[in-house]
Amino acid sequence: MAEQARYEELIRQFSAFGAVKREMGRMMPSDCPAGSAAVLTLLGRYGDMRMSRLSELLAVDMSVTSRHVAHVVERGWIERSPDPADRRSRILRLTPAGRALLDQLSRRTCLMLSERLGDWSDDEVAQLTALMARLRASFDDTRAHGPEPRPPAPPVHEQTTRTPAITT
């Protein structure tokens, strides 16, 4: 039962993390929703790529990726050009305007984090970063191997207290 309580507290913390994501979202320009920022960030990190690779990195369906790409192309932040290796495919790349916006978003985000975490030591920030990377890797591994089987439901006579995961 102690293990369940530990994970229930983790669920509560995940739910509360929505406030951090909302604040980060509020600092974004109104014409750059989170999906667009993710496209820019991935192109900035990994360089030019095909739409299929972007969809894989975003971990969303190709139709969702297409909508995000269309949005950023309309604003001139990325461009699509024919793939020399396969003329049916397109290569996505940041434009100078997209690079400038990505740099601006990075500066804003770093400033906000430095303000909010100003009373944290460098070691604490590094520890949080390492633990979040490890958590993300744990879930990436799960996704690559398929979902874990669900545990059987508790018997009807057993009472359990569960904290629902709230997504925001």
Side-chain angles (χ1 to χ4, degrees), residues 83-160:
D83 181 348
D86 180 357
R87 290 283 186 199
R88 296 169 297 173
S89 295
R90 298 278 183 235
I91 297 292
L92 307 174
R93 77 178 37 90
L94 283 172
T95 63
R99 171 64 61 197
L101 177 60
L102 183 57
D103 291 344
Q104 175 191 18
L105 295 176
S106 178
R107 282 190 306 276
R108 283 183 181 187
T109 304
C110 288
L111 179 62
M112 190 257 314
L113 288 171
S114 70
E115 289 170 356
R116 297 298 183 164
L117 304 179
D119 60 339
W120 288 43
S121 72
D122 290 344
D123 286 343
E124 288 171 324
V125 173
Q127 183 179 17
L128 176 63
T129 302
L131 289 171
M132 290 179 74
R134 184 175 174 193
L135 176 67
R136 189 182 69 219
S138 294
F139 280 84
D140 286 345
D141 288 345
T142 301
R143 191 169 41 225
H145 297 98
E148 292 291 318
R150 290 184 166 194
V156 175
H157 67 277
E158 180 181 317
Q159 291 188 351
T160 58

Side-chain angles (χ1 to χ4, degrees), residues 4-157:
Q4 181 174 340
R6 177 176 52 178
Y7 290 117
E8 287 175 348
E9 178 57 26
L10 186 57
I11 291 167
R12 281 190 286 279
Q13 294 304 319
F14 285 155
S15 297
F17 197 76
V20 174
K21 288 181 67 176
R22 282 189 300 277
E23 183 166 347
M24 291 177 82
R26 282 192 291 269
M27 60 176 253
M28 303 293 265
S30 61
D31 61 343
C32 187
S36 296
V39 167
L40 296 174
T41 299
L42 290 171
L43 285 170
R45 182 177 302 145
Y46 296 105
D48 302 354
M49 68 183 74
R50 288 183 176 181
M51 182 97 80
S52 57
R53 175 69 176 141
L54 180 61
S55 184
E56 179 183 300
L57 290 170
L58 289 169
V60 296
D61 187 76
M62 186 67 93
S63 64
V64 174
T65 303
S66 294
R67 284 193 300 273
H68 291 320
V69 166
H71 181 85
V72 294
V73 166
E74 288 171 10
R75 279 146 187 82
W77 298 331
I78 68 168
E79 61 185 9
R80 293 180 274 210
S81 58
D83 181 348
D86 180 357
R87 290 283 186 199
R88 296 169 297 173
S89 295
R90 298 278 183 235
I91 297 292
L92 307 174
R93 77 178 37 90
L94 283 172
T95 63
R99 171 64 61 197
L101 177 60
L102 183 57
D103 291 344
Q104 175 191 18
L105 295 176
S106 178
R107 282 190 306 276
R108 283 183 181 187
T109 304
C110 288
L111 179 62
M112 190 257 314
L113 288 171
S114 70
E115 289 170 356
R116 297 298 183 164
L117 304 179
D119 60 339
W120 288 43
S121 72
D122 290 344
D123 286 343
E124 288 171 324
V125 173
Q127 183 179 17
L128 176 63
T129 302
L131 289 171
M132 290 179 74
R134 184 175 174 193
L135 176 67
R136 189 182 69 219
S138 294
F139 280 84
D140 286 345
D141 288 345
T142 301
R143 191 169 41 225
H145 297 98
E148 292 291 318
R150 290 184 166 194
V156 175
H157 67 277

